[in-house]
């Protein structure tokens, strides 16, 4: 006899079967919606010319559909979200950065070639000698625009004959009623003025307030000449500067020259060799990597920052280890009372957000009003220039970073010291060993081996310690003679950031090349860490 479901009168196994079927269909619907969303993103990125992002979401959508529809891959469904996140947020940015390092991608080579061409073709210029002084007139509730030619209009060249005929005799023009509100994209026909208007011109402050609306106006004379606002007092004919030719070049009407696309440099180049910005990204091979080591204006600052980065990371690990190990050894002293209170106070800096501590230290080391210089001035009569002297700035960074990092080493050392057998210390006491002997001959050797992988991890972290540099010194003081923004306190990571986002040229290709080198260094340290930890890769 079946046990039935009271609410539906169905056998329990049938009710469970129906619920499972609904769950499967709901899951399939969710997967289908996700796949369709990803395919829509593929199409959107493809239409915008972003083929790398389109490929990313295509691979993601295809793998999602395969993993969640094939029964043989059922075990992979649980790890798929983690793998997908790793691919989207780690692997893809890494590959994208490496790809950029082989290009001249920068603020001057940012758009695609088609967009550069379209932007140049949209440029206009004002014809010299052909301008109208204008006034905005209020006539009752209506507003009109009155234009008057600035003296005799002289145009040169056969190509401007039509414009000269259009302007001849049209010394004074008046527009139809204007709407200077939100709808200002209208083209407004203007007619010659034959009689004076009983109108009051607006004051200049009112004209300035309506400047955006006036700039959006396109006035067309009876002869078909288009006028645009060329200043707070003038409207003038604006001509298309560039003309497209069948061979892909552009003709510059204003300067009478031909611009040819140079696909090796990513610029339109004039007859005189002048490059016209903006340009488009092109592949440059290993040029960015070559510049790092071949260009003396880049190589010098790079090597200086490279050496300082290793020194900063190494000295930080050394100082934090010495302080943390010493304090951990003292906290294991049996005669010390109130250990719990001392532990809490010594670990307290670890609980304060790093950026708060860094900003506090920045104020304390202020050269004019900081507490550190006030104390040094009162005791020794000196006021060190912490932020302008390179070596003092580096020393300040090490001091602050040691304060921020020693609680981590303290916790590690305390945990490892507690695992050391007490019999070793008792045997050392029998032999006459003191606290210093025990610390150097028993404690340190026994904790150093398990501590080594953690020290390498701390080195890798400080190797890329961008927050400390950005908040405390900003990389300053600058390295003189560098062709890129580089400071004596910059680490490789902050140096890369400044090249990519603070330089006037924003050389993303060079920054990506340096970032790739940083990745290789950190990856090498991670592999070394795994080897020392005896983890199979």
């Amino acid at each position: 006899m079946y046990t039935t479901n009271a609410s539906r009168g169905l056998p329990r196994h049938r009710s469970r079967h129906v619920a499972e079927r609904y769950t499967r269909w709901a899951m399939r619907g969710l997967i289908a919606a996700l796949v369709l969303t990803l395919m829509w993103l593929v199409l959107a990125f493809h239409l915008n010319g972003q083929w790398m992002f389109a490929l990313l979401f295509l691979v993601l959508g295809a793998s999602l559909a395969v993993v969640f529809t094939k029964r043989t891959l059922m075990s992979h469904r649980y790890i798929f979200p983690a793998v997908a996140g790793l691919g989207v947020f780690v692997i893809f940015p890494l590959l994208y950065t490496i790809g950029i390092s082989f290009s001249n991608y920068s603020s001057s080579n940012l758009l695609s070639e088609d967009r550069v061409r379209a932007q140049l073709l949209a440029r206009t210029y004002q014809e010299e000698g052909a301008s109208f002084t204008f006034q905005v007139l209020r006539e009752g509730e209506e507003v009109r625009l009155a234009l008057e030619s600035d003296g005799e209009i002289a145009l040169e060249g056969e190509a401007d004959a039509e414009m000269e005929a259009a302007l001849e005799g049209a010394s004074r023009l008046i527009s139809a009623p204007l709407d200077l509100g939100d709808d200002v994209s209208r083209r407004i026909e203007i007619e010659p003025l034959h009689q004076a208007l009983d109108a009051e011109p607006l004051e200049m402050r009112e004209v300035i307030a309506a400047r955006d609306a006036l700039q959006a106006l396109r006035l067309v004379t009876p002869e078909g000449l288009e006028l645009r606002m060329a200043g707070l007092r003038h409207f003038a004919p604006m001509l298309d500067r560039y003309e497209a030719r069948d061979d892909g070049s552009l003709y510059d009407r204003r300067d009478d020259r031909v611009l040819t696309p140079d696909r090796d440099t990513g610029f339109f180049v004039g007859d005189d060799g002048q490059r016209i910005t903006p340009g488009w990204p092109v592949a440059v091979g290993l040029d960015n990597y070559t510049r790092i080591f071949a260009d003396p204006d880049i190589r010098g600052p790079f090597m200086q920052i490279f050496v300082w980065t290793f020194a900063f990371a190494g000295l930080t690990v050394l100082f934090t280890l010495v302080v943390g190990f010493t304090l951990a050894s003292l906290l294991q002293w049996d005669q010390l009372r109130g250990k719990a209170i001392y532990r809490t106070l010594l670990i307290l800096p670890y609980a304060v957000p790093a950026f708060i501590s860094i900003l506090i230290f920045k104020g304390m080391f202020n050269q004019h009003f900081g507490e550190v210089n006030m104390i040094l001035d009162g005791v020794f009569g000196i006021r060190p220039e912490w932020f302008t002297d390179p070596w003092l700035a580096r020393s300040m960074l090490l001091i602050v970073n040691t304060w921020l990092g020693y609680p981590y080493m303290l916790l590690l050392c305390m945990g490892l010291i507690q695992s050391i057998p007490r019999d070793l210390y008792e045997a050392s006491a029998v032999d006459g060993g003191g606290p210093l002997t025990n610390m150097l001959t028993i404690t340190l050797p026994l904790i150093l081996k398990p501590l080594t992988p953690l020290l390498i991890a701390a080195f890798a972290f400080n190797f890329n310690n961008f927050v400390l540099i950005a908040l405390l010194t900003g990389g300053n003081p600058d390295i003189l003679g560098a062709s890129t923004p580089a400071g004596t306190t910059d680490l490789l990571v902050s140096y890369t950031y400044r090249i990519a986002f603070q330089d006037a040229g924003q050389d993303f290709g060079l920054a990506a090349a340096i970032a790739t080198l940083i990745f290789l260094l950190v990856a090498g340290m991670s592999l070394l860490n795994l080897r020392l930890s005896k983890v199979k890769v």
Side-chain angles (χ1 to χ4, degrees):
M1 182 176 182
Y2 290 116
T3 302
T4 60
N5 187 297
S7 62
R8 300 183 60 183
L10 296 174
R12 180 174 298 176
H13 74 279
R14 288 186 60 189
S15 176
R16 185 170 60 250
H17 177 72
V18 171
E20 291 176 354
R21 184 172 62 182
Y22 286 156
T23 303
R24 284 197 302 270
W25 279 107
M27 182 62 68
R28 290 173 182 173
L30 178 60
I31 298 301
L34 290 175
V35 171
L36 290 175
T37 302
L38 292 173
M39 292 302 103
W40 178 81
L41 289 174
V42 170
L43 180 61
F45 279 114
H46 175 69
L47 293 177
N48 283 277
Q50 300 289 338
W51 65 269
M52 292 190 66
F53 289 93
L55 181 61
L56 168 67
F57 287 106
L58 179 62
V59 172
L60 187 63
S63 58
L64 178 68
V66 171
V67 170
F68 281 87
T69 55
K70 292 181 68 74
R71 291 183 176 274
T72 55
L73 299 177
M74 183 177 296
S75 58
H76 297 276
R77 298 177 184 178
Y78 303 100
I79 200 174
F80 179 81
V83 175
L86 179 68
V88 172
F89 298 109
V90 178
I91 298 177
F92 176 75
L94 175 62
L95 296 178
Y96 193 73
T97 301
I98 294 175
I100 291 176
S101 69
F102 295 101
S103 71
N104 65 343
Y105 190 53
S106 63
S107 59
S108 58
N109 297 80
L110 193 61
L111 307 174
S112 65
E113 182 178 355
D114 292 337
R115 293 181 63 185
V116 170
R117 185 183 299 273
Q119 188 177 107
L120 293 177
L121 290 174
R123 290 184 180 181
T124 59
Y125 70 99
Q126 178 183 344
E127 181 66 28
E128 295 181 2
S131 65
F132 290 85
T133 302
F134 75 90
Q135 283 185 320
V136 182
L137 306 176
R138 179 181 288 113
E139 185 183 13
E141 296 182 357
E142 294 183 345
V143 175
R144 293 175 181 268
L145 196 65
L147 299 96
E148 185 173 359
S149 61
D150 296 338
E152 184 179 353
I153 300 174
L155 301 177
E156 298 179 357
E158 297 180 359
D160 299 322
E162 294 182 1
M163 180 181 298
E164 187 172 1
L167 293 173
E168 185 178 356
S171 61
R172 193 113 188 259
L173 303 169
I174 186 75
S175 74
L178 301 178
D179 179 10
L180 299 183
D182 296 332
D183 184 16
V184 295
S185 60
R186 298 180 291 124
R187 296 172 65 92
I188 299 175
E189 299 287 338
I190 55 179
E191 298 289 346
L193 177 65
H194 300 294
Q195 60 182 3
L197 290 174
D198 184 15
E200 178 185 355
L202 298 184
E203 296 181 5
M204 180 54 67
R205 59 182 179 85
E206 296 177 287
V207 174
I208 294 175
R211 181 175 54 185
D212 293 339
L214 293 172
Q215 288 176 342
L217 293 177
R218 299 293 180 265
L219 305 180
V220 182
T221 67
E223 293 80 10
L225 182 65
E226 182 177 287
L227 305 177
R228 303 181 191 179
M229 188 178 181
L232 286 176
R233 296 183 179 275
H234 295 85
F235 267 76
M238 306 298 290
L239 304 178
D240 293 330
R241 179 171 177 179
Y242 296 103
E243 175 186 348
R245 293 190 170 180
D246 295 336
D247 60 356
S249 63
L250 300 177
Y251 174 66
D252 188 348
R253 292 172 174 170
R254 192 189 71 176
D255 297 335
D256 190 22
R257 60 178 177 174
V258 176
L259 305 181
T260 305
D262 186 351
R263 293 181 175 83
D264 292 331
T265 60
F267 289 99
F268 279 95
V269 181
D271 300 333
D272 54 356
Q274 180 184 2
R275 294 179 178 179
I276 307 300
T277 56
W280 60 92
V282 295
V284 296
L286 296 173
D287 286 359
N288 289 318
Y289 296 93
T290 304
R291 288 171 59 196
I292 296 174
F293 301 102
D295 187 343
D297 293 334
I298 297 179
R299 181 183 64 241
F302 174 81
M303 295 306 299
Q304 183 175 337
I305 293 172
F306 181 83
V307 173
W308 160 241
T309 301
F310 271 91
F312 170 79
L315 290 175
T316 294
V317 172
L318 176 62
F319 293 159
T320 54
L321 176 62
V322 170
V323 175
F325 174 71
T326 303
L327 293 176
S329 300
L330 292 176
L331 289 175
Q332 301 302 316
W333 190 23
D334 295 333
Q335 287 75 18
L336 182 65
R337 296 182 179 180
K339 295 181 181 179
I341 298 176
Y342 285 120
R343 289 194 189 102
T344 303
L345 293 176
L346 291 173
I347 297 174
L348 194 60
Y350 203 48
V352 180
F355 78 94
I356 294 179
S357 298
I358 294 171
L359 293 178
I360 291 174
F361 273 107
K362 187 174 183 177
M364 292 175 62
F365 278 97
N366 186 280
Q367 297 174 183
H368 304 289
F369 309 105
E371 289 79 0
V372 174
N373 272 11
M374 288 183 180
I375 295 174
L376 292 177
D377 188 23
V379 177
F380 301 105
I382 59 174
R383 302 183 71 89
E385 298 179 348
W386 296 103
F387 291 92
T388 54
D389 183 270
W391 289 106
L392 288 177
R394 290 168 176 168
S395 302
M396 176 181 62
L397 284 173
L398 290 173
I399 293 172
V400 175
N401 210 30
T402 300
W403 169 266
L404 296 175
Y406 88 83
Y408 174 69
M409 292 297 177
L410 173 62
L411 290 173
L412 294 178
C413 293
M414 285 173 56
L416 293 172
I417 289 175
Q418 290 178 357
S419 65
I420 298 177
R422 305 303 299 176
D423 298 344
L424 298 177
Y425 296 105
E426 295 175 359
S428 176
V430 172
D431 294 336
L436 184 61
T437 303
N438 293 340
M439 185 173 65
L440 297 178
T441 60
I442 298 177
T443 307
L444 184 60
L446 289 179
I447 71 170
L448 196 57
K449 186 175 181 179
L451 197 60
T452 300
L454 300 174
L455 295 178
I456 295 175
F459 181 91
F461 171 79
N462 287 287
F463 193 87
N464 290 323
N465 197 339
F466 174 79
V467 174
L468 176 65
I469 305 301
L471 293 181
L472 191 57
T473 65
N476 296 316
D478 290 331
I479 298 176
L480 301 179
S483 60
T484 55
T488 53
T489 59
D490 267 321
L491 302 181
L492 285 175
V493 62
S494 61
Y495 177 51
T496 304
Y497 176 83
R498 294 179 69 182
I499 291 176
F501 300 107
Q502 291 186 354
D503 188 11
Q506 293 187 341
D507 197 339
F508 301 115
L510 179 62
I514 299 176
T516 302
L517 296 179
I518 295 175
F519 164 73
L520 294 176
L521 290 171
V522 176
M525 287 185 285
S526 300
L527 289 175
L528 177 62
N529 195 359
L530 293 175
R531 295 284 183 181
L532 294 175
S533 302
K534 295 182 180 180
V535 176
K536 294 184 178 181
V537 223

